[in-house]
Amino acid sequence: MAAGAYGFDVSRLEGGLLILAVGVVWAAEAANTSVEYLVDLVHPEWHPLAGRVKDLAAAAVLLAALAAAGVGMLVFLPHLWNAWQLWVSH
């Protein structure tokens, strides 16, 4: 399960969603790296279209990371809120 989940009582579904979110970001990063290598191989000199292709591949990583952050917030914010309420009540 995701390392941050061990401190909280996350369900198996929540843990699975966290693992899936991290995996999607890693896969997007691998695809981005592959696109960058391929563009450099096909067109080693700078070209505006090559730059746009690399930018779009990097944008895919950013979008995956933002989605993963959203999953993390959906999973952890309720647990953090409950921990805060428990701490304040004592």
Side-chain angles (χ1 to χ4, degrees):
M1 192 171 306
Y6 284 117
F8 298 97
D9 188 25
V10 299
S11 69
R12 289 179 62 180
L13 175 62
E14 291 171 327
L17 290 173
L18 290 169
I19 291 169
L20 182 62
V22 170
V24 167
V25 173
W26 285 354
E29 184 57 47
N32 177 49
T33 301
S34 298
V35 166
E36 288 188 3
Y37 286 151
L38 183 59
V39 168
D40 289 343
L41 177 68
V42 171
H43 206 291
E45 308 85 36
W46 183 85
H47 190 277
L49 287 178
R52 289 176 75 180
V53 168
K54 288 182 174 186
D55 288 346
L56 286 170
V61 176
L62 176 63
L63 292 174
L66 290 173
V71 170
M73 289 191 321
L74 286 172
V75 169
F76 287 116
L77 284 179
H79 294 286
L80 289 169
W81 179 254
N82 290 338
W84 172 259
Q85 292 297 334
L86 184 63
W87 184 74
V88 169
S89 68
H90 282 89

